[in-house]
Amino acid sequence: MNVQVKKVYRNDYLNIISALFKKLGLPQLIDHLVPVDPQCQTRVSDAVQAIIYNMFDGRQALVHVERWAQEIDLEKLIRPGLHPSWLNDDALARHLDRLYEADIHKVISTCLIHIYRKEGLSLRAFHADTTDKTVYGAYESASLEALQITHGYNRHHRWQKQIGFGLVGNEDGIPFYGDVHDGNLPDKTWNPEVLSRVHEQLKQAKIEDEWIYVADSAAMTKDTLAQTKAANAFLITRGPSSLRIVKRAFAEADSAHIPWSDPFTLAERNGATYRVWETSSTYEGHPVRLIVVESSALDQRKGKTLEKERTKEAELLREEQAHWERHPFSCREDAEQALASLKTSLRPRFHQVKAAVEEIVRPKKRRGRPKKGAEPEMETRYLLRLDVEFDQNAWEQARRKASRFVLVTTVPEEWKGQQMDAQEILKLYKGQISVEMNFAFLKDPFFTDEIYVKKPERVAVLGYLFLLALAIYRVFQRRVRQFITPEHPLKGAGGRKLTRPTGQAIFQLFQYVNVVLLELPDGRIQRSLDRSLTPEQRRILQGLGLDESIYV
């Protein structure tokens, strides 16, 4: 039998992403939202899949996607009969334009709602945040409504040309809402607007139930509180330390009679220990609960600030000490007066200072050489002596206060039959890391590099496709974590035991899966793996409801 090897494809984990994309029914949904153009050889769903799979394979500029498509099993990943040359940059650009004209925000929002329904995801609490992304190039648009790509300061205070991403998702980081907005849109403006949009999205999904909106301190505004109420939601946010009600809560928390909770932890192991105390107040006419939280894990920036303050204070005290030792007084009265003034002016935070007047008798200095055998004339001087000692108790107290923050919430103490005490509110707020970790994906050059397109409309569409890819990535990660447990860990690269593997850790396990395209004597094409799958690879596929058929 004369069997020829026609092609070898490095398919690795892309087949899993493709299978998941199709299981979620997204190609059909996208083609329904943006109907197929009979004059085009490709569909919008073809272009969307090609761009997203290219992202997962190390994103390249659109001009290189056609060449990349020649190196992957395109017919297996997207659909039979699809030719790589059909995915040239002109064709992809036209599909980006069609997505924009079909209202790309609505298209992606519909896809995200669809994913939530398919996965049966909870709509109880959402975490919201924004970030920025640097872009390059000169962009021209005839539309004033197009995405405004402007210069501005990013989160690290660097001047750059940028766009903004806004995300609202659940505790697994799966976006329910996402947007690509102007590069300089402030969070205080974004929060009220997005509350209204999420509310509309929930109504679109025919969900009228109450929900919780978790955001950072920029959400603590009159407009956000009002819009939260209008959106049938409750707010959990971090209170800025400059607010009067927050200052008052901090002051009350220092009182000796305050009934702090017993220490508790939220993490499974090696986590911070917390104590909480709750009070109430009103802000802009809205009743709110204030939860003062004390953490055993001092914020890194605050810790550095305290260290700088301590070092600077110790240096100033040494200089003060040296100054008074160099400048004695001629009379006790002047020395006592200087001592009183010094005690009033010295207010060290981290040191104890004991100051006193010390009388010293010493030979009086005169000009010239003293006469031989003459008794030296003595004089009395008065020195201010400073005894400086590091105050460990004051230091620990300052660190403890620096580790405190205040959560502000409108969530009632009992909600949907569950006690929403201070500990539960803190637990919900700490889930904010789920949306923050998504930004690492959106900023990772491997996934989202090379945004080289001519129009801001196309930049916006690419940004929304990044958000859809993020949703697929998080769904994939969530599904795997459902069957990988501490009792049944996964053996990762290098033999490491993984109990909560990331999507990228799973990708590494499938990195060297190759498919060989064989041409049989009768002309038929047959796919075959170049080697058997490992037990760990089979376990992952089975857990996802897949098998080798996604490759062959």
Side-chain angles (χ1 to χ4, degrees):
M1 180 180 289
N2 185 19
V3 178
Q4 294 184 352
V5 176
K6 189 174 182 181
K7 189 82 173 180
V8 178
Y9 291 119
R10 176 192 54 80
N11 276 23
D12 47 59
Y13 51 83
L14 288 183
N15 291 62
I16 301 176
I17 298 299
S18 169
L20 179 58
F21 198 89
K22 293 170 182 175
K23 270 180 170 280
L24 290 170
L26 292 175
Q28 298 90 332
L29 178 60
I30 291 170
D31 287 334
H32 172 73
L33 295 170
V34 189
V36 176
D37 186 340
Q39 295 183 343
C40 288
Q41 294 174 304
T42 54
R43 310 164 185 168
V44 171
S45 63
D46 297 336
V48 169
Q49 288 182 85
I51 291 172
I52 287 179
Y53 301 157
N54 180 250
M55 281 180 59
F56 283 108
D57 200 31
R59 180 172 147 65
Q60 299 165 314
L62 295 186
V63 70
H64 300 306
V65 170
E66 179 184 354
R67 186 175 61 188
W68 165 82
Q70 295 172 358
E71 303 301 321
I72 63 170
D73 196 353
L74 198 62
E75 292 192 348
K76 190 70 176 176
L77 289 173
I78 300 180
R79 63 179 175 90
L82 187 63
H83 196 275
S85 63
W86 299 351
L87 296 174
N88 58 69
D89 57 327
D90 288 333
L92 294 176
R94 284 195 298 270
H95 284 307
L96 293 182
D97 292 339
R98 295 186 64 214
L99 280 164
Y100 186 83
E101 292 166 3
D103 189 347
I104 182 60
H105 178 79
K106 183 179 179 181
V107 171
I108 299 303
S109 295
T110 304
C111 290
L112 295 179
I113 294 173
H114 180 78
I115 289 172
Y116 263 71
R117 283 175 172 163
K118 277 279 191 179
E119 294 296 295
L121 299 173
S122 170
L123 299 169
R124 172 175 174 262
F126 290 123
H127 300 270
D129 205 353
T130 66
T131 192
D132 49 61
K133 182 168 181 62
T134 304
V135 294
Y136 306 93
Y139 303 97
E140 296 180 0
S141 174
S143 172
L144 296 176
E145 297 178 358
L147 177 69
Q148 297 300 307
I149 302 174
T150 57
H151 279 91
Y153 288 102
N154 68 1
R155 280 358 186 225
H156 303 290
H157 306 289
R158 294 181 186 139
W159 185 253
Q160 63 181 21
K161 185 177 287 188
Q162 61 188 16
I163 60 174
F165 284 108
L167 278 179
V168 179
N170 68 356
E171 63 275 9
D172 289 312
I174 301 174
F176 178 76
Y177 169 92
D179 63 38
V180 182
H181 54 252
D182 298 349
N184 288 332
L185 181 68
D187 285 3
K188 289 184 178 180
T189 303
W190 180 82
N191 276 296
E193 291 178 357
V194 82
L195 272 161
S196 176
R197 292 174 184 171
V198 172
H199 183 47
E200 289 299 319
Q201 209 155 298
L202 287 167
K203 287 199 296 184
Q204 182 184 340
K206 297 181 180 179
I207 299 169
E208 299 289 342
D209 207 1
E210 294 177 333
W211 52 289
I212 295 174
Y213 182 78
V214 187
D216 63 12
S217 58
M220 191 60 192
T221 65
K222 179 181 179 180
D223 291 342
T224 303
L225 283 166
Q227 191 58 54
T228 302
K229 189 174 182 180
N232 199 28
F234 299 103
L235 175 68
I236 298 176
T237 186
R238 186 163 177 161
S241 56
S242 58
L243 284 186
R244 187 178 301 170
I245 58 173
V246 173
K247 290 179 179 178
R248 190 181 304 126
F250 276 136
E252 291 179 20
D254 284 332
S255 302
H257 66 278
I258 290 300
W260 286 88
S261 72
D262 293 331
F264 62 91
T265 59
L266 297 177
E268 295 178 359
R269 61 180 182 178
N270 301 327
T273 301
Y274 300 96
R275 292 195 308 158
V276 293
W277 169 71
E278 181 176 339
T279 184
S280 61
S281 185
T282 58
Y283 181 74
E284 298 290 354
H286 297 271
V288 294
R289 296 165 60 190
L290 301 174
I291 299 168
V292 184
V293 182
E294 184 179 287
S295 170
S296 63
L298 184 63
D299 181 88
Q300 189 174 8
R301 288 176 298 176
K302 290 183 178 179
K304 287 182 178 179
T305 300
L306 279 181
E307 287 288 351
K308 286 181 181 178
E309 289 182 12
R310 182 176 74 164
T311 303
K312 185 176 181 180
E313 183 179 279
E315 185 178 333
L316 289 174
L317 288 173
R318 283 195 297 269
E319 290 176 359
E320 195 79 23
Q321 192 174 25
H323 169 78
W324 292 113
E325 288 180 357
R326 290 195 305 267
H327 298 85
F329 292 88
S330 299
C331 66
R332 178 176 288 275
E333 185 179 11
D334 289 345
E336 295 286 356
Q337 188 175 353
L339 177 62
S341 178
L342 180 64
K343 286 182 176 180
T344 303
S345 63
L346 279 182
R347 296 182 181 275
R349 288 186 66 192
F350 312 119
H351 297 82
Q352 290 182 346
V353 180
K354 295 179 181 178
V357 175
E358 179 180 328
E359 180 182 306
I360 59 171
V361 179
R362 65 184 187 184
K364 188 174 183 179
K365 294 182 179 179
R366 289 188 176 277
R367 280 187 171 187
R369 180 178 298 180
K371 294 179 180 180
K372 187 175 182 180
E375 291 290 331
E377 184 179 353
M378 307 303 288
E379 65 177 357
T380 302
R381 289 289 185 265
Y382 301 91
L383 287 176
L384 294 188
R385 290 288 189 188
L386 275 63
D387 184 14
V388 179
E389 184 178 349
F390 176 63
D391 191 339
Q392 186 67 36
N393 290 333
W395 172 248
E396 293 298 332
Q397 186 177 4
R399 285 178 58 85
R400 189 167 61 251
K401 287 184 178 181
S403 68
R404 290 177 182 173
F405 58 93
V406 173
L407 296 180
V408 183
T409 182
T410 59
V411 177
E413 294 183 1
E414 185 175 342
W415 183 59
K416 294 186 176 183
Q418 180 182 355
Q419 288 296 319
M420 303 299 290
D421 57 12
Q423 186 170 336
E424 183 64 23
I425 298 297
L426 174 62
K427 184 178 179 181
L428 281 171
Y429 178 75
K430 296 299 286 185
Q432 188 73 356
I433 192 173
S434 64
V435 70
E436 292 170 355
M437 290 177 67
N438 283 336
F439 297 150
F441 179 96
L442 292 175
K443 293 190 174 190
D444 190 334
F446 181 83
F447 295 118
T448 60
D449 203 10
E450 300 190 359
I451 307 178
Y452 300 134
V453 288
K454 294 180 179 179
K455 300 193 295 186
E457 291 87 348
R458 293 175 183 173
V459 174
V461 175
L462 277 179
Y464 276 103
L465 294 184
F466 294 166
L467 295 178
L468 181 58
L470 169 63
I472 301 300
Y473 177 81
R474 289 300 181 195
V475 167
F476 165 70
Q477 182 173 273
R478 175 181 178 272
R479 286 192 178 190
V480 171
R481 287 180 174 181
Q482 288 177 329
F483 60 86
I484 302 298
T485 63
E487 295 77 22
H488 301 92
L490 183 71
K491 189 177 180 181
R496 292 184 302 127
K497 287 186 177 180
L498 305 174
T499 57
R500 283 182 58 81
T502 64
Q504 286 173 297
I506 303 301
F507 290 166
Q508 287 181 351
L509 293 177
F510 287 85
Q511 198 166 7
Y512 301 106
V513 175
N514 298 318
V515 172
V516 181
L517 209 64
L518 302 173
E519 185 175 357
L520 304 180
D522 58 4
R524 288 184 298 115
I525 300 298
Q526 180 176 313
R527 289 173 172 80
S528 176
L529 292 171
D530 67 338
R531 71 194 75 180
S532 298
L533 295 177
T534 67
E536 294 300 287
Q537 290 170 338
R538 293 182 184 277
R539 181 187 173 192
I540 292 169
L541 291 181
Q542 290 172 2
L544 293 170
L546 305 173
D547 54 34
E548 287 186 13
S549 64
I550 66 171
Y551 292 103
V552 300

